[in-house]
Amino acid sequence: MKKFRKVLDGLTTSSPASAGGSPSCGSAAGTPTAAPTPRELDVHETLLSEHFHICKTVRHGFPYQPTALAFDPVQKILAIGSRSGGVRILGRPGVDCYCQHESGAAVLQLQFLINEGALVSACADDTLHLWNLRQRRPAILHSLKFNRERITFCHLPFQSKWLYVGTERGNTHIVNVESFVLSGYVIMWNKAIELSTKTHPGPVVHLSDSPKDEGKLLIGFESGTIVMWDLRSKRADFRIYYDEAIHSVSWHHEGRQFMCSHSDGSLSMWNLRNTAKPFQVTFPHGKSQRDGRKESCKPILKVEYKTCRNSEPFVIFSGGLSYDKAGRRPTLTIMHGKAITVLEMDHPIVEFTVLCETPYLNEVQEPYAVVVLLEKDFIVVDLTQSNFPIFENPYPMDVHESPVTCTAYFADCPPDIIPVLYSIGAKHKKTGYSHKEWPVSGGTWTIGSQTYPEIIITGHADGSIKFWDATAITLQMLYKLKTSKVFEKPKGGEVGRSAELVEEDPYAVQMVSWCPQSRVFCVVGISAHVILYRFSKHDANTSITSLEVRLQCEMEDVISPSDTENTVCATDPGGHSPQPQPSSPRSNTPDSVRDSIPCLRVKDRVIRMPPGYQAELVVQLLWVDGEPPQQITSLDLNSAYGLLAVGNCNGLAVVDYLQKTVILCMSTVELYGSADPFQRLTRSPRKNRQSTSGLTELSDNQVSLDLERSKSPTSVPYPSSLHNDPRGTAEPVSNLRASHYSPVFYLLDNVKGPGRKLSLPTDLKTDLDHVNGHCTSPTSQPCVPGRPRVPGGPEGPRLSRRGPGRPPFRKAQSAACMEVSLPVSSLTEGYASRRAMLQQLHGVTMYSHDEHHTTTYSWNERESRENSFSRSRSSSVSSIDRDTKEAVTTLQFAESYGRKLDTLPTPCLWVGTSLGLVLLVPMSIPMDEQERMEEPITVAPTGTVLMLKGSVLRFGFLDCSGGLIQSPYELWRDLNAPEDPERPRRRKLVNFSPCSSQETASDGHLAVVCSERQAKVFLMPSQACLYVHNITESSFVLRADVVGVSNSVCLACFCANGHIMILSLPSLRPLLDVNYLPLTDMRIARTFCFTNGGQALYLSSPTEIQRITYSQEMCDNLQEMLGELFTPTETPEAQNRGFLKGFFGGNAQTFDREELFGEAAAGKASRSLAQHIPGQGSVEGVRVAAGGVVGDLARARIALDERGQRLGELEERTALMMSSAETFSKHAHELMLKCKDKKWYQF
């Protein structure tokens, strides 16, 4: 038991930051005052470092950039190789394993050791690897690195331990897959071809043994040469020289003929009786020209020739289309007898393989399906039905159907939410799939004992939302929602207008907020819009309410010094009067006068909404005087309060979605009131745009500010107390009503000096601006260190404005396509990276409190000043480092204390900004349901300010015993269900109690605040800072969450330098710090998220979701949760061939390969040719899999094998020494004979 006694004079912190705690405990104005001494806190922290460990659990989605495909027809498992060296092994649903080659070289080819539980992979670095699949996590047993030749093709005959390896030089080597040692038997290219041939045949593109005689090896060279090599006699039986290059070869099961595919789009059939010429040449897609010749076609990259017992054989190939039509989609052609079926694919075909009933090549194949691997998809075609339907894919291969732009992870959801979403989503599933079972059915998988409902939500560039069931490390899509259906499609006359306004992805999802208990769902789009959805099991005919919010902070036309001298800086009294928002018609209006219109048009008619999530409210930010709205950077909703809060770099807006009104809309600086820790510079009054159209210069002179406002026609004047104007009479802020549209205050700052950003906040650009002092934005000017930028350039006085006609945003920057390196090594680079990072993440230019005095003070001075409210705000400093806006970076509703003297908690909105400041906005919400729908909500910003270093990222709330306080919520009720007079529907609120009933309210609570550089724990309502921990100095935190692990609570952080850190709560003790994943691109930063239960996820590639765990308990149970790849299965017996058929047709001859390829007959291969590398998982994997009597026998066999291996090595060394001694003796004897008869003078 740990007891923590905190008093005002001696605050204990985990880092020496007593100076940083004092200002935070001060009053709203920043002056320290006496806070109530808290009672003795009894917090028993149970989490230790032993409870945490980082490991990957499972990877979902489609393998990124696939290159190879293989199938085990007995085990019925599938393997896919990728360009990054990854291997995905798939079986029945739940059996999904990911392996990675350490070298990261692309996988060229995969070969299963059929029914042996092993896999051979050939990589682009000319290395062969043998994987052991008899363990839940496959490991490499052996590796063989070729030093002098490049691998081009591999072939492993069924039930053989000798692997044929073709190389780029045209040679064929043979490898023993048991010992992974190269045989001395080599088929050299100059031996395979005739001596009279003057040209090199090219690389080996095909190797296969004859189904009729395993002692015959068919070798195909790229140039068109085919050689049948007799392995016994070591000579060629026949050679074929064809004019066209060969891409693939496929045998007839009887071994009498084979088919080749060529580069001219032709298929040639060859009979072994007459190899002088093909007995059939066809151009399946070539048309006959006038001269009788076939037109040229694209290459046929692969062909499969499969026979059937009761029907014509199948000939399946990819490619071969004619060149006459451009833009044709890739095709797979199925020729069955005279019927030709062409299947068009959405993506290029990487590889395909035909699934057959038998693994024996000399039997009738009976194909039943064909697996097609595309560049961005994976399908299986049913060959048993004439219309060739595809199987319904049980794997989540369509995560990237539209590029993923954001993710959310929810663990321990309500148990009824998954069945409900699945039942709704099942009604919208596609039809026309094959009715047969999924053919890839290998492996075994059972749901583990420790499972709980988990849901992953992905947002996409096309505006779609997907809900995934992620329970028990699986992934299955539950429900899909299309947000674009809320908006009108551009009509014919508005096509040009729409193309000008938006480019390609106007509906792209930026962030989501979901309350699983109330099933209220919010989506933030790139067009500065928020859509609120409610869930219903019934369809409804209703209209969507649209609220338009004028939340804009724009750059003023700055007056030159001469103008300032001649102009009286007076505030226009009319500027504070309520101004209605003009409803501007959507016409072809130039950007310069486009005002009070949203980016998208909401459907304004009654529409039918199917069961599921139904749109109820759309909040859109408006254009203001030709300026597009800034993208939304923060969002929170609370179903118990019925409120929705959104923030961006201009300010904050709070919406009552029950009454569908805007209750608060103001700039960030106005939220401070008199508690603003900075002395903001005043601004000049607004000038007429037409009179200031000329070029002007930015000035450091202090000018007055005209606070522009935009209110609804029914709003009242805003209280002057928030202006911090001593001349005005302070009007209570509680007079703000829900029906009143609060004003927008524009925070305008002078900007001048080096490094000023010209990048546009609403652009999601693929490059980072001003990284390492280089300006990479296409819209910005070169950055010269130490040289102030002259604003009188071609961009005119409004350097941060868009040019006329420029769209407000570009193509959505998906989380899948961002590849940007971020420098995080040094402090200065970290700052630049962070600013650019935030611009990429949120689409806004933010000003970080941690960057305040970079050009003026040293680090020690800056650190001391960051922990103090006293700031030097001279014009020279402000003109240099106040070059961006203060953005609202995080929001959270909670039951808290808005003021120090509060004795009971009230509903509050916690606001975190990019300056590292925390504001509290208390609210008064009626408790009665009827009053809630009729009475207005009173909002009273108190100006309470807490302070941290860096942008605020996350809030969390604990009770005084260290338990997590959940936000209040409303239980779900179906608003569209039929009314029941006996059981009227009423709102049922949880954790939302009236203040009078809270017995322990006087105890207060703990508030956890995490920024990009430090974390603090405050005691509320005294606002005393109890604990401080500086998370990082050289990097910055990208993601932070207060999560539950092992029945306790901790703070999880992911930093840009790849470190994952876990801090205890409330003491902020470091429990884990692991350098897990260096941030190499923005995709990880956008999609990384933590959740309860010690789990996290991120997009490891544009098409794959990687789930990890940081819980030691889950790491220990991971073996139980993973599926088994190998199941002991009897190999099917070969069919008996009748006596007459064998006598006349010739039996399939077998021979002992060991006799030919073994060391005794073939000798040893040159050591310089290939290097054997032992794997790390050879014996360990078998030991893990072994158990019981079988395990004892396996262990005994392993020990025997190890002993035999040692004896073999000893024998090899002895033989080597004997050979060396014989060679030495021979040379000595030759030297003696040479010198025997020579005289002494002849030497």
Side-chain angles (χ1 to χ4, degrees):
M1 178 71 69
K2 296 183 180 179
K3 295 185 178 181
F4 307 100
R5 186 184 299 274
K6 309 297 175 197
V7 293
L8 186 64
D9 296 333
L11 295 179
T12 303
T13 62
S14 60
S15 64
S18 59
S22 299
S24 302
C25 305
S27 64
T31 305
T33 59
T37 301
R39 69 175 180 85
E40 191 174 87
L41 296 178
D42 295 335
V43 180
H44 179 57
E45 295 187 0
T46 59
L47 292 179
L48 302 173
S49 299
E50 292 75 20
H51 291 111
F52 298 95
H53 181 70
I54 298 286
C55 71
K56 295 180 180 179
T57 54
V58 68
R59 182 172 292 205
H60 304 296
F62 180 76
Y64 184 55
Q65 295 179 334
T67 54
L69 178 69
F71 182 73
D72 188 328
V74 178
Q75 288 290 320
K76 295 190 181 302
I77 57 176
L78 189 86
I80 300 175
S82 68
R83 189 176 300 175
S84 60
V87 178
R88 284 282 290 280
I89 304 173
L90 304 170
R92 67 176 65 249
V95 179
D96 189 341
C97 181
Y98 174 78
C99 315
Q100 175 68 43
H101 293 91
E102 291 184 2
S103 64
V107 178
L108 299 180
Q109 197 174 353
L110 295 171
Q111 286 274 322
F112 276 105
L113 276 68
I114 296 176
N115 203 29
E116 294 291 337
L119 175 71
V120 175
S121 61
C123 295
D125 60 350
D126 306 310
T127 306
L128 298 174
H129 303 275
L130 179 64
W131 293 85
N132 178 19
L133 306 185
R134 293 183 178 238
Q135 55 195 64
R136 293 177 186 258
R137 284 188 173 273
I140 293 178
L141 297 175
H142 302 282
S143 297
L144 188 66
K145 168 73 173 175
F146 281 75
N147 297 323
R148 296 185 300 187
E149 297 195 54
R150 308 214 64 180
I151 300 172
T152 56
F153 194 86
C154 298
H155 170 63
L156 181 65
F158 179 45
Q159 294 181 326
S160 170
K161 68 175 184 178
W162 297 96
L163 174 72
Y164 302 112
V165 181
T167 68
E168 192 176 30
R169 293 185 179 181
N171 303 324
T172 302
H173 301 275
I174 301 171
V175 178
N176 187 328
V177 293
E178 290 183 351
S179 60
F180 242 54
V181 175
L182 206 60
S183 169
Y185 192 111
V186 183
I187 306 174
M188 305 298 291
W189 67 271
N190 54 355
K191 301 285 186 180
I193 64 173
E194 291 181 339
L195 297 177
S196 59
T197 306
K198 297 180 180 180
T199 59
H200 191 279
V204 176
V205 296
H206 177 81
L207 292 168
S208 62
D209 50 343
S210 169
K212 185 178 178 181
D213 185 357
E214 294 179 350
K216 304 291 180 66
L217 182 67
L218 190 70
I219 306 174
F221 297 93
E222 188 181 55
S223 62
T225 302
I226 300 174
V227 177
M228 176 68 85
W229 185 263
D230 190 333
L231 294 170
R232 300 182 188 88
S233 62
K234 299 182 181 180
R235 62 180 181 83
D237 278 2
F238 63 82
R239 299 177 178 90
I240 297 174
Y241 299 98
Y242 197 66
D243 295 336
E244 293 294 334
I246 293 176
H247 286 281
S248 67
V249 181
S250 182
W251 280 96
H252 188 278
H253 79 277
E254 292 180 350
R256 299 176 181 176
Q257 58 188 27
F258 58 88
M259 179 181 292
C260 302
S261 67
H262 300 280
S263 58
D264 62 346
S266 64
L267 296 174
S268 60
M269 290 283 293
W270 300 83
N271 197 308
L272 299 189
R273 294 181 180 178
N274 181 13
T275 59
K277 63 177 182 178
F279 73 87
Q280 183 182 355
V281 177
T282 59
F283 287 80
H285 296 298
K287 299 177 183 178
S288 297
Q289 298 177 347
R290 293 182 179 179
D291 56 359
R293 297 169 56 188
K294 296 285 186 178
E295 63 178 343
S296 60
C297 297
K298 298 178 182 178
I300 296 179
L301 301 178
K302 184 177 180 180
V303 65
E304 293 269 14
Y305 186 24
K306 301 298 179 182
T307 54
C308 301
R309 185 171 290 105
N310 300 320
S311 64
E312 296 289 331
F314 279 91
V315 176
I316 304 172
F317 60 90
S318 60
L321 292 179
S322 60
Y323 284 104
D324 58 347
K325 292 184 180 179
R328 274 190 167 182
R329 295 198 290 179
T331 60
L332 182 78
T333 304
I334 302 175
M335 300 173 61
H336 190 206
K338 295 183 179 180
I340 300 178
T341 304
V342 179
L343 305 179
E344 289 191 340
M345 305 295 171
D346 294 330
H347 310 284
I349 297 175
V350 175
E351 176 71 285
F352 74 90
T353 185
V354 180
L355 310 187
C356 301
E357 297 287 352
T358 176
Y360 296 95
L361 296 180
N362 58 357
E363 296 179 358
V364 179
Q365 298 296 287
E366 291 292 342
Y368 60 90
V370 55
V371 178
V372 187
L373 179 63
L374 308 176
E375 277 191 2
K376 295 183 179 180
D377 204 356
F378 170 75
I379 63 173
V380 181
V381 182
D382 186 357
L383 296 179
T384 61
Q385 301 183 39
S386 58
N387 59 341
F388 303 125
I390 65 172
F391 290 87
E392 185 176 6
N393 197 329
Y395 313 127
M397 294 290 187
D398 57 345
V399 173
H400 64 290
E401 184 179 12
S402 175
V404 179
T405 54
C406 72
T407 58
Y409 195 3
F410 299 88
D412 204 9
C413 299
D416 60 335
I417 190 68
I418 290 180
V420 168
L421 288 174
Y422 181 78
S423 62
I424 297 296
K427 298 177 182 178
H428 304 285
K429 282 192 173 181
K430 297 179 181 179
T431 57
Y433 293 112
S434 173
H435 299 293
K436 294 194 173 183
E437 292 186 0
W438 179 251
V440 186
S441 57
T444 56
W445 179 78
T446 55
I447 298 179
S449 57
Q450 297 181 348
T451 58
Y452 43 83
E454 299 175 68
I455 288 181
I456 294 173
I457 300 177
T458 57
H460 301 265
D462 63 351
S464 61
I465 303 286
K466 291 182 180 180
F467 291 78
W468 305 85
D469 178 11
T471 306
I473 71 170
T474 61
L475 196 70
Q476 181 181 9
M477 196 172 82
L478 297 173
Y479 176 71
K480 183 177 180 180
L481 176 66
K482 295 182 179 180
T483 63
S484 59
K485 292 185 176 181
V486 173
F487 303 100
E488 296 279 5
K489 293 182 179 179
K491 297 180 181 179
E494 297 181 354
V495 173
R497 157 79 174 164
S498 175
E500 178 190 358
L501 189 63
V502 298
E503 286 194 6
E504 295 189 40
D505 297 315
Y507 312 112
V509 179
Q510 277 192 295
M511 63 184 75
V512 296
S513 180
W514 186 45
C515 178
Q517 291 80 9
S518 64
R519 303 181 189 176
V520 178
F521 184 59
C522 266
V523 180
V524 173
I526 196 175
S527 301
H529 64 267
V530 182
I531 310 175
L532 184 134
Y533 291 88
R534 284 179 180 261
F535 188 84
S536 176
K537 295 181 179 179
H538 307 273
D539 56 359
N541 294 315
T542 182
S543 59
I544 303 172
T545 304
S546 176
L547 289 179
E548 297 179 348
V549 178
R550 192 179 174 93
L551 185 62
Q552 189 77 3
C553 177
E554 61 182 25
M555 186 66 60
E556 289 290 337
D557 297 324
V558 182
I559 307 172
S560 63
S562 59
D563 293 339
T564 306
E565 295 172 1
N566 302 326
T567 305
V568 179
C569 297
T571 303
D572 183 8
H576 294 274
S577 61
Q579 298 177 359
Q581 296 181 13
S583 57
S584 176
R586 287 163 178 80
S587 59
N588 293 329
T589 309
D591 282 357
S592 59
V593 294
R594 191 176 297 169
D595 185 61
S596 299
I597 62 171
C599 296
L600 301 173
R601 181 188 298 178
V602 180
K603 293 181 179 178
D604 55 359
R605 62 184 184 277
V606 176
I607 56 177
R608 180 189 175 277
M609 298 184 183
Y613 273 104
Q614 300 169 350
E616 181 178 292
L617 176 68
V618 178
V619 180
Q620 290 182 287
L621 304 187
L622 300 175
W623 284 68
V624 177
D625 295 329
E627 285 291 334
Q630 300 294 319
Q631 290 173 7
I632 296 170
T633 59
S634 53
L635 167 75
D636 192 39
L637 70 89
N638 189 282
S639 57
Y641 303 159
L643 297 179
L644 170 69
V646 296
N648 65 2
C649 64
N650 292 327
L652 169 70
V654 181
V655 176
D656 181 351
Y657 67 79
L658 296 179
Q659 298 186 19
K660 296 180 175 56
T661 56
V662 180
I663 64 174
L664 182 69
C665 180
M666 61 175 62
S667 65
T668 314
V669 67
E670 291 301 323
L671 293 173
Y672 295 109
S674 60
D676 190 355
F678 306 116
Q679 298 176 5
R680 313 272 174 169
L681 296 180
T682 56
R683 296 293 177 264
S684 63
R686 179 66 178 266
K687 280 192 171 186
N688 190 342
R689 288 190 178 274
Q690 295 180 356
S691 62
T692 58
S693 58
L695 298 179
T696 58
E697 294 184 359
L698 298 179
S699 172
D700 288 344
N701 293 345
Q702 192 168 345
V703 292
S704 62
L705 167 68
D706 175 26
L707 297 175
E708 283 205 359
R709 305 165 181 234
S710 174
K711 304 180 184 179
S712 65
T714 59
S715 63
V716 296
Y718 195 75
S720 57
S721 59
L722 289 184
H723 294 265
N724 197 16
D725 188 357
R727 295 173 298 177
T729 58
E731 182 179 347
V733 186
S734 59
N735 290 341
L736 284 174
R737 292 191 165 280
S739 60
H740 298 154
Y741 195 104
S742 301
V744 182
F745 296 95
Y746 298 100
L747 173 59
L748 308 174
D749 290 320
N750 283 343
V751 283
K752 186 177 180 181
R756 177 169 181 266
K757 285 187 179 295
L758 299 181
S759 53
L760 298 173
T762 48
D763 285 331
L764 286 179
K765 298 181 289 297
T766 55
D767 53 359
L768 291 179
D769 292 348
H770 305 281
V771 177
N772 293 332
H774 299 289
C775 182
T776 58
S777 172
T779 61
S780 57
Q781 298 175 356
C783 300
V784 181
R787 180 180 176 184
R789 177 171 299 143
V790 179
E795 294 184 29
R798 306 182 193 117
L799 293 179
S800 64
R801 286 186 180 273
R802 298 183 179 278
R806 179 166 183 180
F809 38 79
R810 299 178 180 176
K811 178 177 174 63
Q813 181 84 338
S814 73
C817 62
M818 286 170 286
E819 306 288 343
V820 181
S821 299
L822 297 176
V824 294
S825 57
S826 66
L827 195 62
T828 306
E829 290 176 346
Y831 292 159
S833 301
R834 175 61 187 174
R835 182 178 298 181
M837 165 78 70
L838 290 173
Q839 184 169 352
Q840 284 278 15
L841 286 177
H842 304 293
V844 298
T845 306
M846 297 182 182
Y847 171 65
S848 175
H849 177 74
D850 198 47
E851 304 170 11
H852 226 60
H853 298 276
T854 304
T855 60
T856 309
Y857 305 106
S858 64
W859 165 245
N860 294 329
E861 292 173 334
R862 183 169 63 255
E863 185 175 20
S864 63
R865 290 174 183 274
E866 279 165 350
N867 292 327
S868 172
F869 275 119
S870 61
R871 291 288 187 177
S872 171
R873 302 304 304 165
S874 65
S875 61
S876 60
V877 174
S878 65
S879 65
I880 292 176
D881 53 318
R882 286 312 307 270
D883 60 343
T884 44
K885 303 172 184 178
E886 179 182 8
V888 177
T889 54
T890 184
L891 296 165
Q892 185 161 343
F893 290 100
E895 294 278 307
S896 186
Y897 302 85
R899 302 169 183 84
K900 285 187 176 183
L901 301 180
D902 287 352
T903 57
L904 296 175
T906 58
C908 290
L909 175 62
W910 285 66
V911 182
T913 73
S914 58
L915 284 179
L917 301 178
V918 179
L919 308 170
L920 272 72
V921 181
M923 296 167 289
S924 177
I925 303 176
M927 287 296 302
D928 183 73
E929 183 174 357
Q930 184 176 358
E931 291 181 359
R932 175 64 184 85
M933 299 302 297
E934 296 176 356
E935 294 295 324
I937 293 178
T938 305
V939 181
T942 61
T944 301
V945 175
L946 309 175
M947 190 171 180
L948 289 86
K949 290 195 298 184
S951 299
V952 181
L953 300 179
R954 187 66 59 190
F955 297 119
F957 304 98
L958 310 176
D959 56 29
C960 291
S961 61
L964 183 65
I965 300 177
Q966 299 288 345
S967 297
Y969 60 88
E970 175 191 4
L971 293 178
W972 174 72
R973 56 193 178 119
D974 196 339
L975 299 179
N976 296 331
E979 291 283 352
D980 187 354
E982 298 181 358
R983 300 179 60 186
R985 291 195 301 268
R986 293 185 178 275
R987 297 185 72 206
K988 297 180 181 179
L989 307 182
V990 180
N991 297 334
F992 180 45
S993 304
C995 298
S996 58
S997 65
Q998 294 183 355
E999 299 177 358
T1000 61
S1002 59
D1003 295 340
H1005 68 82
L1006 303 177
V1008 182
V1009 185
C1010 184
S1011 74
E1012 65 184 17
R1013 296 196 183 276
Q1014 69 176 186
K1016 288 187 179 182
V1017 176
F1018 297 94
L1019 177 65
M1020 305 299 291
S1022 67
Q1023 301 176 16
C1025 181
L1026 302 183
Y1027 304 98
V1028 180
H1029 179 74
N1030 292 321
I1031 300 174
T1032 178
E1033 299 291 354
S1034 60
S1035 184
F1036 49 88
V1037 178
L1038 287 171
R1039 180 75 187 216
D1041 285 289
V1042 178
V1043 293
V1045 180
S1046 301
N1047 299 321
S1048 190
V1049 186
C1050 62
L1051 177 64
C1053 303
F1054 173 60
C1055 297
N1057 58 8
H1059 284 250
I1060 292 179
M1061 303 181 185
I1062 307 295
L1063 305 177
S1064 68
L1065 290 176
S1067 64
L1068 298 178
R1069 289 182 297 109
L1071 299 175
L1072 179 74
D1073 186 354
V1074 175
N1075 187 5
Y1076 170 72
L1077 180 73
L1079 183 67
T1080 55
D1081 53 64
M1082 294 292 299
R1083 178 184 61 249
I1084 300 172
R1086 275 180 174 268
T1087 58
F1088 197 101
C1089 52
F1090 295 98
T1091 189
N1092 296 324
Q1095 297 196 73
L1097 66 81
Y1098 60 92
L1099 233 66
S1100 58
S1101 74
T1103 61
E1104 295 169 288
I1105 295 176
Q1106 177 68 58
R1107 292 167 67 179
I1108 65 173
T1109 181
Y1110 49 93
S1111 167
Q1112 181 66 57
E1113 181 183 5
M1114 189 169 183
C1115 290
D1116 296 338
N1117 299 326
L1118 188 58
Q1119 286 290 118
E1120 176 190 350
M1121 301 170 69
L1122 296 175
E1124 289 275 4
L1125 295 173
F1126 178 79
T1127 54
T1129 306
E1130 289 290 334
T1131 302
E1133 295 183 0
Q1135 296 178 358
N1136 289 327
R1137 300 164 64 90
F1139 172 75
L1140 293 176
K1141 189 172 183 180
F1143 184 78
F1144 292 105
N1147 280 316
Q1149 302 179 21
T1150 59
F1151 76 108
D1152 187 5
R1153 293 185 175 89
E1154 182 71 30
E1155 219 175 84
L1156 288 176
F1157 307 144
E1159 186 178 340
K1164 291 184 177 181
S1166 173
R1167 291 188 177 183
S1168 62
L1169 181 61
Q1171 176 187 0
H1172 177 261
I1173 305 171
Q1176 299 178 353
S1178 53
V1179 180
E1180 296 177 3
V1182 182
R1183 285 176 179 169
V1184 171
V1189 178
V1190 178
D1192 295 336
L1193 292 174
R1195 282 188 286 272
R1197 182 178 178 182
I1198 290 169
L1200 188 62
D1201 291 344
E1202 290 176 348
R1203 182 171 179 270
Q1205 185 176 357
R1206 294 192 190 98
L1207 290 175
E1209 292 175 356
L1210 181 61
E1211 184 180 354
E1212 286 182 5
R1213 292 195 192 99
T1214 305
L1216 185 63
M1217 291 176 65
M1218 290 179 62
S1219 175
S1220 178
E1222 289 177 359
T1223 304
F1224 179 76
S1225 175
K1226 181 180 178 180
H1227 287 307
H1229 184 69
E1230 290 177 353
L1231 183 61
M1232 184 269 294
L1233 293 177
K1234 182 178 180 181
C1235 302
K1236 181 178 179 182
D1237 298 326
K1238 289 186 178 182
K1239 303 296 182 179
W1240 62 270
Y1241 53 83
Q1242 292 178 326
F1243 287 100

